[in-house]
Amino acid sequence: MSFRPGQTIDDRYELGAQLGSGGMARVYLAHDAVLDRQVAVKVLSEAYALDPTFVERFRQEASAAAGLSHPNIVAVYDRGASNGSYYIVMEYLSGPDLKQVIRRRAPLAPAEAVDYATQILAALGAAHKRDIIHRDVKPQNVLVAEDGRLKVTDFGIARAGEGTQMTEAGSVIGTAQYLSPEQARGEETTAASDCYAVGIVLYEMLTGLLPFDGGAPVAVAMKQISDPPTPPRVHKPSIPPGLERVVLKALEKRPRDRYRSAEEFSDALAALGPVLGEATGQTAVMGAAAATGVTSVMDDGPPTGPTSVAPPPARREEPARSRWPWIVAAIAALAIVGVIAALALTGGGGGSTTVPNVAGLPLADATAAIRDAGLTPAVERTEDDEVEAGTVIDTDPAAGSSVSEGDTVTLRVSAGPMAVEVPDVVGLERDDARRALVQAGFGVTVDLESSDDVREGFVISQSPAAGQEAAAESDVTIVVSSGADQVEVPSVIGRPQSEAGSLLSQAGLSAAVQEQPTTNSPAGTVIDQSPGAGTRVDAGSTVTITVAVAVQTVTVPTVTGLTNSQAFTELQSAGFNPIGASAPSDTVPEGIVISQSPGGGSEAEEGANVEIVVSTGPTSTGGSDSGGGGGGSDDGSDGGGGGGSDDGSPLP
């Protein structure tokens, strides 16, 4: 499977914005969830994941680079495979690559260019000591750290160790503009091959131009094999002659004639010392018309600076295996000569002209200006975060270059910022959605919208939609659910039931009614509500209202004079709740109801309490003259023990 922004590899690396892509892989900004740091993740392209040769080459890159530890080499942290795709985790650098620096600032000052070249050579020297040849040194593979230090990356086509070259015999891997002649011929590469590429990078930094460019990659590769480079001082006379000699030595066609190691190349640059940045006197250039076909540069005086570069040794025959490409080159050269002769006979070829400066112009205007100058425009579109889409960034050859009339000038036109695929965040919680979009390289705009179907805080929709491409750092709008519509509960206490129901309905709410008998409020009036007034609830919610109803009364039966048990039975049968109490009585016999409350014949609420007081009989007293123990008889005998009646009989 392929990976895209928003996905997570092995539950650890959360992929963000795509940083770039090459022939074999894509590179993403990612967050290492375990170590909480930003990293760059290089994922093998899906088209190659099923090719064992490419997979092996990819694994080799990780193994080779992981063993390198140097301040000028991008660190490799991890590698692995997930769901059929292979990845490498590397140090993330937020700065530009050297190609971007060259495009914006070239030509660079000699001292700065030499410093950059020296850093690149330091990285390659460390790799060469481990028998690792980079084989694709170019400005795009040199990153600028925040502190200004250069770091070499992408050992994707490196040859690690003897006998591990992964290319088939005669195949060519690399970038044509930076390809050494031996690579172009499909021959074995060495440290000198990387030095050749550094020589081209140095040439480009000093002049803003490539020594071999234009046309198809095959044509450029043929130039690498057969054409001598134009001395850099032809383009930039202020380059110190000593520095020019170092560059030209690095660009010798035969590996044995150029610097054979990064250390040797670096030492030659270091030996220039104070001459860097100095503009020297007149330089005489003996061009390709010389019988030898070798470009030589002669200074007016002795070399300035502490070093001198020995002239290249006399050319010797190449081994038999390399003769065929040279034969092809010779045939191509003869064809070119034929074209030149034909032009001379027909009067073609014209004169020379200067490439106009069209940077910053719209494409249509720039094209017209190029044609007005007698040149042929070609267009190359490239992503650019700073230049508006449709505007010319620069030209190749550069503005001010002297070219022949009718030559092709390539207009490098901005296609706008890099387009990034928008991740799918619908259904994610708001913070998770924001994190995924930021990691993918986008800004985030949040809109709130009520929803009956999507939980509060979760994404309902997004714009642009998932899967669409949008400019990096542009905003993606997410619509987040605020939950269902919320309304404020109105106050309905004290209002008639019908009015309360109408108010609740107008507020988008429904009413549930419960009744409560009461004598404190008129029947049909709302005496309570839940939720209370002022509470915010989802639209359509139910509010419970309590409505007063009239109390139903019953006539209280008269139970005075009845026995206790009779009174209880009578009251309960009438729907009341009897509550008993007792008291002594001199007039009411024991066990008989003395009084009741409410009184018999009154109206009371059904189920109400009725208190009855039951006699416990007369109050007990001791014997006394006044009859406490009862009256005595004529014969003086004691009268009974209790109070006597008129006839002397005891109370029932």
Side-chain angles (χ1 to χ4, degrees), residues 427-432 446-460 479-486 536-538:
L428 297 182
E429 197 273 331
R430 175 170 54 188
D431 290 343
D432 292 339
V446 179
D447 291 338
L448 296 178
E449 183 179 296
S450 62
S451 174
D452 295 331
D453 303 319
V454 180
R455 286 189 298 164
E456 182 180 357
F458 286 76
V459 177
I460 302 171
V479 179
V480 178
S481 172
S482 59
D485 280 333
Q486 293 225 309
R536 295 196 64 82
V537 297
D538 294 342

PDB file of all heavy atoms in Angstrom, residues 427-432 446-460 479-486 536-538:
ATOM      1  N   GLY A 427     -15.279  13.082  10.854  1.00  0.00           N
ATOM      2  CA  GLY A 427     -15.534  12.071  11.872  1.00  0.00           C
ATOM      3  C   GLY A 427     -14.537  12.067  13.007  1.00  0.00           C
ATOM      4  O   GLY A 427     -14.758  11.404  14.015  1.00  0.00           O
ATOM      5  N   LEU A 428     -13.413  12.820  12.848  1.00  0.00           N
ATOM      6  CA  LEU A 428     -12.418  12.896  13.911  1.00  0.00           C
ATOM      7  C   LEU A 428     -12.822  13.957  14.929  1.00  0.00           C
ATOM      8  O   LEU A 428     -13.549  14.909  14.613  1.00  0.00           O
ATOM      9  CB  LEU A 428     -11.039  13.236  13.352  1.00  0.00           C
ATOM     10  CG  LEU A 428     -10.396  12.244  12.381  1.00  0.00           C
ATOM     11  CD1 LEU A 428      -9.013  12.732  11.980  1.00  0.00           C
ATOM     12  CD2 LEU A 428     -10.301  10.862  13.011  1.00  0.00           C
ATOM     13  N   GLU A 429     -12.347  13.767  16.155  1.00  0.00           N
ATOM     14  CA  GLU A 429     -12.522  14.805  17.159  1.00  0.00           C
ATOM     15  C   GLU A 429     -11.718  16.033  16.744  1.00  0.00           C
ATOM     16  O   GLU A 429     -10.704  15.918  16.064  1.00  0.00           O
ATOM     17  CB  GLU A 429     -12.077  14.274  18.523  1.00  0.00           C
ATOM     18  CG  GLU A 429     -12.574  15.090  19.704  1.00  0.00           C
ATOM     19  CD  GLU A 429     -11.672  16.238  20.049  1.00  0.00           C
ATOM     20  OE1 GLU A 429     -10.455  16.110  19.800  1.00  0.00           O
ATOM     21  OE2 GLU A 429     -12.168  17.260  20.549  1.00  0.00           O
ATOM     22  N   ARG A 430     -12.179  17.213  17.124  1.00  0.00           N
ATOM     23  CA  ARG A 430     -11.607  18.453  16.624  1.00  0.00           C
ATOM     24  C   ARG A 430     -10.096  18.533  16.806  1.00  0.00           C
ATOM     25  O   ARG A 430      -9.372  18.877  15.854  1.00  0.00           O
ATOM     26  CB  ARG A 430     -12.264  19.666  17.303  1.00  0.00           C
ATOM     27  CG  ARG A 430     -11.636  21.017  16.911  1.00  0.00           C
ATOM     28  CD  ARG A 430     -12.450  22.184  17.397  1.00  0.00           C
ATOM     29  NE  ARG A 430     -12.714  22.128  18.810  1.00  0.00           N
ATOM     30  CZ  ARG A 430     -13.543  22.975  19.452  1.00  0.00           C
ATOM     31  NH1 ARG A 430     -14.183  23.902  18.781  1.00  0.00           N
ATOM     32  NH2 ARG A 430     -13.729  22.872  20.743  1.00  0.00           N
ATOM     33  N   ASP A 431      -9.567  18.224  17.978  1.00  0.00           N
ATOM     34  CA  ASP A 431      -8.122  18.325  18.201  1.00  0.00           C
ATOM     35  C   ASP A 431      -7.354  17.330  17.347  1.00  0.00           C
ATOM     36  O   ASP A 431      -6.279  17.644  16.831  1.00  0.00           O
ATOM     37  CB  ASP A 431      -7.802  18.119  19.686  1.00  0.00           C
ATOM     38  CG  ASP A 431      -8.268  19.285  20.550  1.00  0.00           C
ATOM     39  OD1 ASP A 431      -8.535  20.373  19.991  1.00  0.00           O
ATOM     40  OD2 ASP A 431      -8.365  19.113  21.785  1.00  0.00           O
ATOM     41  N   ASP A 432      -7.895  16.110  17.178  1.00  0.00           N
ATOM     42  CA  ASP A 432      -7.238  15.118  16.330  1.00  0.00           C
ATOM     43  C   ASP A 432      -7.225  15.577  14.872  1.00  0.00           C
ATOM     44  O   ASP A 432      -6.232  15.389  14.151  1.00  0.00           O
ATOM     45  CB  ASP A 432      -7.934  13.764  16.453  1.00  0.00           C
ATOM     46  CG  ASP A 432      -7.750  13.136  17.829  1.00  0.00           C
ATOM     47  OD1 ASP A 432      -6.789  13.513  18.536  1.00  0.00           O
ATOM     48  OD2 ASP A 432      -8.572  12.278  18.205  1.00  0.00           O
ATOM     49  N   VAL A 446     -11.786  26.750  11.806  1.00  0.00           N
ATOM     50  CA  VAL A 446     -12.852  25.968  12.429  1.00  0.00           C
ATOM     51  C   VAL A 446     -14.158  26.747  12.390  1.00  0.00           C
ATOM     52  O   VAL A 446     -14.221  27.898  12.828  1.00  0.00           O
ATOM     53  CB  VAL A 446     -12.502  25.596  13.884  1.00  0.00           C
ATOM     54  CG1 VAL A 446     -13.641  24.800  14.517  1.00  0.00           C
ATOM     55  CG2 VAL A 446     -11.209  24.789  13.939  1.00  0.00           C
ATOM     56  N   ASP A 447     -15.201  26.138  11.852  1.00  0.00           N
ATOM     57  CA  ASP A 447     -16.563  26.659  11.913  1.00  0.00           C
ATOM     58  C   ASP A 447     -17.415  25.709  12.745  1.00  0.00           C
ATOM     59  O   ASP A 447     -17.235  24.485  12.687  1.00  0.00           O
ATOM     60  CB  ASP A 447     -17.172  26.805  10.512  1.00  0.00           C
ATOM     61  CG  ASP A 447     -16.517  27.914   9.701  1.00  0.00           C
ATOM     62  OD1 ASP A 447     -15.910  28.814  10.319  1.00  0.00           O
ATOM     63  OD2 ASP A 447     -16.633  27.895   8.450  1.00  0.00           O
ATOM     64  N   LEU A 448     -18.335  26.279  13.533  1.00  0.00           N
ATOM     65  CA  LEU A 448     -19.229  25.477  14.358  1.00  0.00           C
ATOM     66  C   LEU A 448     -20.597  25.395  13.709  1.00  0.00           C
ATOM     67  O   LEU A 448     -21.084  26.355  13.113  1.00  0.00           O
ATOM     68  CB  LEU A 448     -19.349  26.070  15.760  1.00  0.00           C
ATOM     69  CG  LEU A 448     -18.075  26.088  16.612  1.00  0.00           C
ATOM     70  CD1 LEU A 448     -18.344  26.756  17.955  1.00  0.00           C
ATOM     71  CD2 LEU A 448     -17.545  24.678  16.835  1.00  0.00           C
ATOM     72  N   GLU A 449     -21.210  24.233  13.840  1.00  0.00           N
ATOM     73  CA  GLU A 449     -22.533  24.016  13.262  1.00  0.00           C
ATOM     74  C   GLU A 449     -23.260  22.982  14.114  1.00  0.00           C
ATOM     75  O   GLU A 449     -22.677  21.954  14.479  1.00  0.00           O
ATOM     76  CB  GLU A 449     -22.417  23.541  11.819  1.00  0.00           C
ATOM     77  CG  GLU A 449     -23.738  23.343  11.097  1.00  0.00           C
ATOM     78  CD  GLU A 449     -23.538  22.892   9.668  1.00  0.00           C
ATOM     79  OE1 GLU A 449     -22.957  23.664   8.875  1.00  0.00           O
ATOM     80  OE2 GLU A 449     -23.952  21.742   9.335  1.00  0.00           O
ATOM     81  N   SER A 450     -24.534  23.283  14.416  1.00  0.00           N
ATOM     82  CA  SER A 450     -25.306  22.329  15.207  1.00  0.00           C
ATOM     83  C   SER A 450     -25.639  21.107  14.374  1.00  0.00           C
ATOM     84  O   SER A 450     -25.763  21.172  13.154  1.00  0.00           O
ATOM     85  CB  SER A 450     -26.590  22.979  15.717  1.00  0.00           C
ATOM     86  OG  SER A 450     -27.413  23.380  14.623  1.00  0.00           O
ATOM     87  N   SER A 451     -25.760  19.987  15.030  1.00  0.00           N
ATOM     88  CA  SER A 451     -26.061  18.744  14.340  1.00  0.00           C
ATOM     89  C   SER A 451     -26.781  17.805  15.295  1.00  0.00           C
ATOM     90  O   SER A 451     -26.361  17.632  16.448  1.00  0.00           O
ATOM     91  CB  SER A 451     -24.785  18.091  13.810  1.00  0.00           C
ATOM     92  OG  SER A 451     -25.060  16.812  13.257  1.00  0.00           O
ATOM     93  N   ASP A 452     -27.833  17.198  14.787  1.00  0.00           N
ATOM     94  CA  ASP A 452     -28.536  16.195  15.567  1.00  0.00           C
ATOM     95  C   ASP A 452     -27.901  14.828  15.432  1.00  0.00           C
ATOM     96  O   ASP A 452     -28.184  13.916  16.215  1.00  0.00           O
ATOM     97  CB  ASP A 452     -30.010  16.116  15.126  1.00  0.00           C
ATOM     98  CG  ASP A 452     -30.779  17.398  15.418  1.00  0.00           C
ATOM     99  OD1 ASP A 452     -30.415  18.098  16.385  1.00  0.00           O
ATOM    100  OD2 ASP A 452     -31.735  17.699  14.674  1.00  0.00           O
ATOM    101  N   ASP A 453     -27.029  14.666  14.404  1.00  0.00           N
ATOM    102  CA  ASP A 453     -26.462  13.355  14.091  1.00  0.00           C
ATOM    103  C   ASP A 453     -25.009  13.188  14.529  1.00  0.00           C
ATOM    104  O   ASP A 453     -24.561  12.065  14.762  1.00  0.00           O
ATOM    105  CB  ASP A 453     -26.554  13.094  12.580  1.00  0.00           C
ATOM    106  CG  ASP A 453     -27.984  13.176  12.075  1.00  0.00           C
ATOM    107  OD1 ASP A 453     -28.883  12.684  12.775  1.00  0.00           O
ATOM    108  OD2 ASP A 453     -28.192  13.757  10.985  1.00  0.00           O
ATOM    109  N   VAL A 454     -24.229  14.281  14.584  1.00  0.00           N
ATOM    110  CA  VAL A 454     -22.811  14.207  14.905  1.00  0.00           C
ATOM    111  C   VAL A 454     -22.592  14.739  16.316  1.00  0.00           C
ATOM    112  O   VAL A 454     -23.075  15.816  16.670  1.00  0.00           O
ATOM    113  CB  VAL A 454     -21.961  15.013  13.902  1.00  0.00           C
ATOM    114  CG1 VAL A 454     -20.483  14.926  14.263  1.00  0.00           C
ATOM    115  CG2 VAL A 454     -22.188  14.511  12.488  1.00  0.00           C
ATOM    116  N   ARG A 455     -21.846  13.969  17.095  1.00  0.00           N
ATOM    117  CA  ARG A 455     -21.593  14.376  18.476  1.00  0.00           C
ATOM    118  C   ARG A 455     -20.855  15.713  18.550  1.00  0.00           C
ATOM    119  O   ARG A 455     -20.078  16.054  17.666  1.00  0.00           O
ATOM    120  CB  ARG A 455     -20.783  13.307  19.211  1.00  0.00           C
ATOM    121  CG  ARG A 455     -21.568  12.052  19.573  1.00  0.00           C
ATOM    122  CD  ARG A 455     -20.728  11.175  20.484  1.00  0.00           C
ATOM    123  NE  ARG A 455     -19.520  10.729  19.825  1.00  0.00           N
ATOM    124  CZ  ARG A 455     -18.466  10.213  20.454  1.00  0.00           C
ATOM    125  NH1 ARG A 455     -18.471  10.127  21.766  1.00  0.00           N
ATOM    126  NH2 ARG A 455     -17.413   9.814  19.773  1.00  0.00           N
ATOM    127  N   GLU A 456     -21.114  16.423  19.604  1.00  0.00           N
ATOM    128  CA  GLU A 456     -20.463  17.702  19.819  1.00  0.00           C
ATOM    129  C   GLU A 456     -18.939  17.527  19.841  1.00  0.00           C
ATOM    130  O   GLU A 456     -18.402  16.619  20.474  1.00  0.00           O
ATOM    131  CB  GLU A 456     -20.928  18.321  21.138  1.00  0.00           C
ATOM    132  CG  GLU A 456     -20.327  19.697  21.425  1.00  0.00           C
ATOM    133  CD  GLU A 456     -20.812  20.280  22.726  1.00  0.00           C
ATOM    134  OE1 GLU A 456     -21.663  19.633  23.382  1.00  0.00           O
ATOM    135  OE2 GLU A 456     -20.355  21.385  23.100  1.00  0.00           O
ATOM    136  N   GLY A 457     -18.227  18.428  19.098  1.00  0.00           N
ATOM    137  CA  GLY A 457     -16.770  18.405  19.079  1.00  0.00           C
ATOM    138  C   GLY A 457     -16.169  17.559  17.982  1.00  0.00           C
ATOM    139  O   GLY A 457     -14.947  17.510  17.850  1.00  0.00           O
ATOM    140  N   PHE A 458     -16.984  16.907  17.152  1.00  0.00           N
ATOM    141  CA  PHE A 458     -16.494  16.067  16.070  1.00  0.00           C
ATOM    142  C   PHE A 458     -16.749  16.736  14.718  1.00  0.00           C
ATOM    143  O   PHE A 458     -17.693  17.505  14.555  1.00  0.00           O
ATOM    144  CB  PHE A 458     -17.127  14.684  16.124  1.00  0.00           C
ATOM    145  CG  PHE A 458     -16.585  13.810  17.230  1.00  0.00           C
ATOM    146  CD1 PHE A 458     -16.968  14.019  18.536  1.00  0.00           C
ATOM    147  CD2 PHE A 458     -15.669  12.814  16.961  1.00  0.00           C
ATOM    148  CE1 PHE A 458     -16.451  13.235  19.571  1.00  0.00           C
ATOM    149  CE2 PHE A 458     -15.150  12.020  17.976  1.00  0.00           C
ATOM    150  CZ  PHE A 458     -15.543  12.238  19.286  1.00  0.00           C
ATOM    151  N   VAL A 459     -15.864  16.419  13.741  1.00  0.00           N
ATOM    152  CA  VAL A 459     -15.906  17.085  12.444  1.00  0.00           C
ATOM    153  C   VAL A 459     -17.059  16.547  11.602  1.00  0.00           C
ATOM    154  O   VAL A 459     -17.187  15.336  11.383  1.00  0.00           O
ATOM    155  CB  VAL A 459     -14.571  16.910  11.696  1.00  0.00           C
ATOM    156  CG1 VAL A 459     -14.635  17.553  10.311  1.00  0.00           C
ATOM    157  CG2 VAL A 459     -13.421  17.514  12.500  1.00  0.00           C
ATOM    158  N   ILE A 460     -17.881  17.491  11.095  1.00  0.00           N
ATOM    159  CA  ILE A 460     -19.004  17.143  10.231  1.00  0.00           C
ATOM    160  C   ILE A 460     -18.560  17.080   8.770  1.00  0.00           C
ATOM    161  O   ILE A 460     -18.892  16.160   8.038  1.00  0.00           O
ATOM    162  CB  ILE A 460     -20.147  18.162  10.382  1.00  0.00           C
ATOM    163  CG1 ILE A 460     -20.621  18.250  11.835  1.00  0.00           C
ATOM    164  CG2 ILE A 460     -21.298  17.819   9.450  1.00  0.00           C
ATOM    165  CD1 ILE A 460     -21.586  19.390  12.090  1.00  0.00           C
ATOM    166  N   VAL A 479     -15.752  21.894   9.620  1.00  0.00           N
ATOM    167  CA  VAL A 479     -17.007  22.226  10.287  1.00  0.00           C
ATOM    168  C   VAL A 479     -17.199  21.253  11.436  1.00  0.00           C
ATOM    169  O   VAL A 479     -17.305  20.042  11.221  1.00  0.00           O
ATOM    170  CB  VAL A 479     -18.188  22.169   9.306  1.00  0.00           C
ATOM    171  CG1 VAL A 479     -19.488  22.506  10.033  1.00  0.00           C
ATOM    172  CG2 VAL A 479     -17.975  23.129   8.138  1.00  0.00           C
ATOM    173  N   VAL A 480     -17.224  21.795  12.649  1.00  0.00           N
ATOM    174  CA  VAL A 480     -17.273  20.986  13.858  1.00  0.00           C
ATOM    175  C   VAL A 480     -18.660  21.083  14.482  1.00  0.00           C
ATOM    176  O   VAL A 480     -19.240  22.171  14.563  1.00  0.00           O
ATOM    177  CB  VAL A 480     -16.194  21.430  14.861  1.00  0.00           C
ATOM    178  CG1 VAL A 480     -16.282  20.611  16.151  1.00  0.00           C
ATOM    179  CG2 VAL A 480     -14.805  21.299  14.253  1.00  0.00           C
ATOM    180  N   SER A 481     -19.187  19.942  14.902  1.00  0.00           N
ATOM    181  CA  SER A 481     -20.505  19.902  15.515  1.00  0.00           C
ATOM    182  C   SER A 481     -20.511  20.584  16.884  1.00  0.00           C
ATOM    183  O   SER A 481     -19.650  20.326  17.723  1.00  0.00           O
ATOM    184  CB  SER A 481     -20.972  18.457  15.666  1.00  0.00           C
ATOM    185  OG  SER A 481     -22.177  18.378  16.421  1.00  0.00           O
ATOM    186  N   SER A 482     -21.491  21.473  17.066  1.00  0.00           N
ATOM    187  CA  SER A 482     -21.719  22.065  18.376  1.00  0.00           C
ATOM    188  C   SER A 482     -22.804  21.308  19.125  1.00  0.00           C
ATOM    189  O   SER A 482     -23.318  21.780  20.144  1.00  0.00           O
ATOM    190  CB  SER A 482     -22.111  23.537  18.236  1.00  0.00           C
ATOM    191  OG  SER A 482     -23.290  23.676  17.457  1.00  0.00           O
ATOM    192  N   GLY A 483     -23.161  20.124  18.617  1.00  0.00           N
ATOM    193  CA  GLY A 483     -24.244  19.349  19.187  1.00  0.00           C
ATOM    194  C   GLY A 483     -25.568  19.788  18.585  1.00  0.00           C
ATOM    195  O   GLY A 483     -25.642  20.569  17.637  1.00  0.00           O
ATOM    196  N   ALA A 484     -26.655  19.278  19.152  1.00  0.00           N
ATOM    197  CA  ALA A 484     -27.974  19.699  18.696  1.00  0.00           C
ATOM    198  C   ALA A 484     -28.197  21.171  19.025  1.00  0.00           C
ATOM    199  O   ALA A 484     -27.575  21.736  19.924  1.00  0.00           O
ATOM    200  CB  ALA A 484     -29.052  18.837  19.337  1.00  0.00           C
ATOM    201  N   ASP A 485     -29.188  21.804  18.323  1.00  0.00           N
ATOM    202  CA  ASP A 485     -29.539  23.192  18.611  1.00  0.00           C
ATOM    203  C   ASP A 485     -29.926  23.326  20.069  1.00  0.00           C
ATOM    204  O   ASP A 485     -30.681  22.504  20.613  1.00  0.00           O
ATOM    205  CB  ASP A 485     -30.707  23.642  17.740  1.00  0.00           C
ATOM    206  CG  ASP A 485     -30.264  24.009  16.339  1.00  0.00           C
ATOM    207  OD1 ASP A 485     -29.112  24.401  16.175  1.00  0.00           O
ATOM    208  OD2 ASP A 485     -31.092  23.889  15.414  1.00  0.00           O
ATOM    209  N   GLN A 486     -29.439  24.346  20.732  1.00  0.00           N
ATOM    210  CA  GLN A 486     -29.762  24.581  22.130  1.00  0.00           C
ATOM    211  C   GLN A 486     -30.667  25.800  22.260  1.00  0.00           C
ATOM    212  O   GLN A 486     -30.505  26.787  21.552  1.00  0.00           O
ATOM    213  CB  GLN A 486     -28.495  24.761  22.951  1.00  0.00           C
ATOM    214  CG  GLN A 486     -27.664  23.490  23.030  1.00  0.00           C
ATOM    215  CD  GLN A 486     -27.173  23.199  24.391  1.00  0.00           C
ATOM    216  OE1 GLN A 486     -26.592  24.048  25.046  1.00  0.00           O
ATOM    217  NE2 GLN A 486     -27.431  21.985  24.855  1.00  0.00           N
ATOM    218  N   ARG A 536     -30.175  26.055  29.437  1.00  0.00           N
ATOM    219  CA  ARG A 536     -30.056  25.793  28.010  1.00  0.00           C
ATOM    220  C   ARG A 536     -30.059  24.280  27.773  1.00  0.00           C
ATOM    221  O   ARG A 536     -29.271  23.533  28.375  1.00  0.00           O
ATOM    222  CB  ARG A 536     -28.784  26.405  27.430  1.00  0.00           C
ATOM    223  CG  ARG A 536     -28.754  27.924  27.487  1.00  0.00           C
ATOM    224  CD  ARG A 536     -27.695  28.497  26.581  1.00  0.00           C
ATOM    225  NE  ARG A 536     -27.923  28.223  25.175  1.00  0.00           N
ATOM    226  CZ  ARG A 536     -28.724  28.917  24.391  1.00  0.00           C
ATOM    227  NH1 ARG A 536     -29.394  29.949  24.870  1.00  0.00           N
ATOM    228  NH2 ARG A 536     -28.874  28.595  23.105  1.00  0.00           N
ATOM    229  N   VAL A 537     -30.954  23.864  26.904  1.00  0.00           N
ATOM    230  CA  VAL A 537     -31.111  22.444  26.606  1.00  0.00           C
ATOM    231  C   VAL A 537     -31.195  22.268  25.098  1.00  0.00           C
ATOM    232  O   VAL A 537     -31.385  23.229  24.345  1.00  0.00           O
ATOM    233  CB  VAL A 537     -32.368  21.866  27.283  1.00  0.00           C
ATOM    234  CG1 VAL A 537     -32.263  21.950  28.792  1.00  0.00           C
ATOM    235  CG2 VAL A 537     -33.628  22.579  26.790  1.00  0.00           C
ATOM    236  N   ASP A 538     -31.020  21.022  24.636  1.00  0.00           N
ATOM    237  CA  ASP A 538     -31.145  20.729  23.219  1.00  0.00           C
ATOM    238  C   ASP A 538     -32.555  21.018  22.738  1.00  0.00           C
ATOM    239  O   ASP A 538     -33.538  20.749  23.442  1.00  0.00           O
ATOM    240  CB  ASP A 538     -30.800  19.274  22.938  1.00  0.00           C
ATOM    241  CG  ASP A 538     -29.347  18.948  23.207  1.00  0.00           C
ATOM    242  OD1 ASP A 538     -28.541  19.894  23.284  1.00  0.00           O
ATOM    243  OD2 ASP A 538     -29.021  17.749  23.339  1.00  0.00           O
TER     244      ASP A 538
END
